Amino acid sequence: MHTNKAVESKSPVQMFLDQNPINLFVGGQWVAASGNRSFATFDPGSGEKLTEVASATEEDVDAAVRAAKMAFHKSGWRTISPSERAVYLHRLADLVEEHRDELAEIESLDVGKPFSQARSDVDNFSKTMRYYADLSVHTQYHEPLAVSHHEARIVRQPYGVCGFIFPWNFPLLLAGWGISPALAAGNTVVIKPAEDTSLSTLYLMKLVRESGIPDGVVNVVTGPGESTGAALASHPDLAKLSFTGSPEVGRLVAESCGRNLVPVKLELGGKGAAIVFDDVEIEMTAAALSRAITLNTGQVCCTASRWIVHEKIYYQFVDAVLSQFKKIRIGYWDDPNTEMGPLVSARQRSRVLGYLEKGRNEGADILLEGGPAEVPGKKGGFYVKPALLAGRAGNIACREEIFGPVPFLLKFRDEEEAVGLVNSTRYGLANSVWTNDLQRANRVAVSMVAGNSWINAHNVFPHGVPYGGLNMSGMGGGVLGPNTLFDYLRHLSVVRPL
Ligand code: NAD
């Protein structure tokens, strides 16, 4: 009696965490990792352990791929009509909306992001799911071809088992961007979330189960990248692998896929730029770029981390940024006043602080020191203050992705110089141009070599606009666009001579 009352008073999130360890989700069942292996996951806002998560071995990954393969061939997911599949996917989106606060709490606890931001990530997941569910209903799966003396058509069919490996910065949102088109196209999936932030993806599996999506259509294997991730990337039965993460790991994953001739999609890092011309409203632009670089504590692949500012307004712009950075409210996720949470881990904090040191050693001007931040009552959290650096484009802090609230300022004289600076990187994810001259804005937008150019804004992702990178920032088509659905449909030509 006493025990039951204790259970009743626990929140769904606490009950979920209390499973300790939280198991793998394979073939519609919660299963322990072989050998009962698990690892700890932490709250970056306090440094405290949240729970244990199962650590999948190669054997467990193989079981997940086999479950997904079986579901592809036997569950009917591949053969039911797109509109029937869409009903399941909308049901899942409904459930995500119903459990919005639990999912957001889990995301905040695991990543450290303020609750309101976590909630918008959850909403983004359901929007993505609905977008691809609807798109799949209106897609042509048989396309007649006009060729003489033949009856010919292209038939579009799902590939089979698609593997997904995700990073830790937007776990649920990126899972939505990845798996929604694959599922809507009729594939089955095996997901490997980042080891630091597996929890929201695991909680999502409770909802997948409730939605009635057949067993084995969605599977999750948790564990370290070097073992669990590598086992998934090198599995010969994958029909496709989509990886989101760093270029270094992307290269390893692509090599593994290459050996098996498994097609791969890569969404990788960036070192995005913002060109600020001298006709902008300075305070507003400084505020918008400060918001962009502090969003998710700077752990955003496409953020603008090189700010290229016209020399005429440079010093006014610096002052405006400094005043923005000094007033930012750093805090724990459950404080409604918090604007910026911690970095995701002690490792990530060392990386960011290390870049401040390396930048300084290479002669960067330190306009704002940054460094560790203290949040009352949360001594163990991985908080940092925003920093502001300036100097030469060759400085390491200007060349390499830091993944923290640390922009690097460069001065320019004319448009050509500014565009040259933007394009002086091997990354190619997203840049922005800020000016009141729309003709110039459009001209510069198409001269910047990357997957995405934004005008008078940064970090803009409407569903239906493709988002992806080139060079060191990715390959294989990107995400979020209407064509992303076709990335998960193979083409078959059917021909009959007449
Ligand atoms: P990461 O490359 O270290 O890890 C990403 C994922 O790969 C994790 O799940 C990890 O466990 C797994 N992994 C690690 N080693 C592996 C291996 N040998 N084989 C297979 N899998 C392995 O990246 P991260 O630190 O989690 O995330 C930050 C990076 O992700 C940044 O570079 C960021 O720019 C990038 N990112 C890109 C996008 C995009 O859309 N382009 C979005 C978010 C993040």
Side-chain angles (χ1 to χ4, degrees), residues 164-170 174 177 192-196 223-234 241 243-250 252-253 256 266-270 299-302 344 347-348 351 401 403 427 429 467-469 473-474 479:
F164 287 87
I165 300 178
F166 292 114
W168 42 256
N169 57 344
F170 288 89
L174 291 175
W177 288 9
K192 205 305 266 176
E195 50 272 50
D196 284 329
E226 314 80 63
S227 49
T228 313
L232 183 60
S234 61
L241 185 101
F243 171 84
T244 311
S246 62
E248 296 74 27
V249 177
L252 296 176
V253 163
S256 295
L266 300 177
E267 318 300 333
L268 307 176
Q299 304 163 116
V300 179
C301 50
C302 53
V344 76
R347 190 170 47 125
Q348 185 60 17
R351 178 188 166 98
E401 184 182 39
F403 230 47
Y427 288 105
L429 191 49
Y467 166 74
S473 294
V479 293

Side-chain angles (χ1 to χ4, degrees), residues 106-177:
I106 288 169
E107 200 74 319
S108 288
L109 275 170
D110 213 11
V111 191
K113 54 180 85 197
F115 188 63
S116 58
Q117 290 176 23
R119 258 213 309 223
S120 90
D121 288 4
V122 176
D123 292 346
N124 193 288
F125 178 97
S126 43
K127 272 189 201 141
T128 312
M129 196 50 82
R130 293 191 194 287
Y131 171 73
Y132 284 108
D134 291 345
L135 191 67
S136 70
V137 171
H138 299 288
T139 293
Q140 235 188 334
Y141 294 88
H142 293 254
E143 193 180 308
L145 299 173
V147 285
S148 50
H149 311 301
H150 297 83
E151 183 194 71
R153 66 188 194 280
I154 295 285
V155 180
R156 297 194 168 100
Q157 299 203 320
Y159 275 90
V161 181
C162 297
F164 287 87
I165 300 178
F166 292 114
W168 42 256
N169 57 344
F170 288 89
L172 194 69
L173 175 144
L174 291 175
W177 288 9

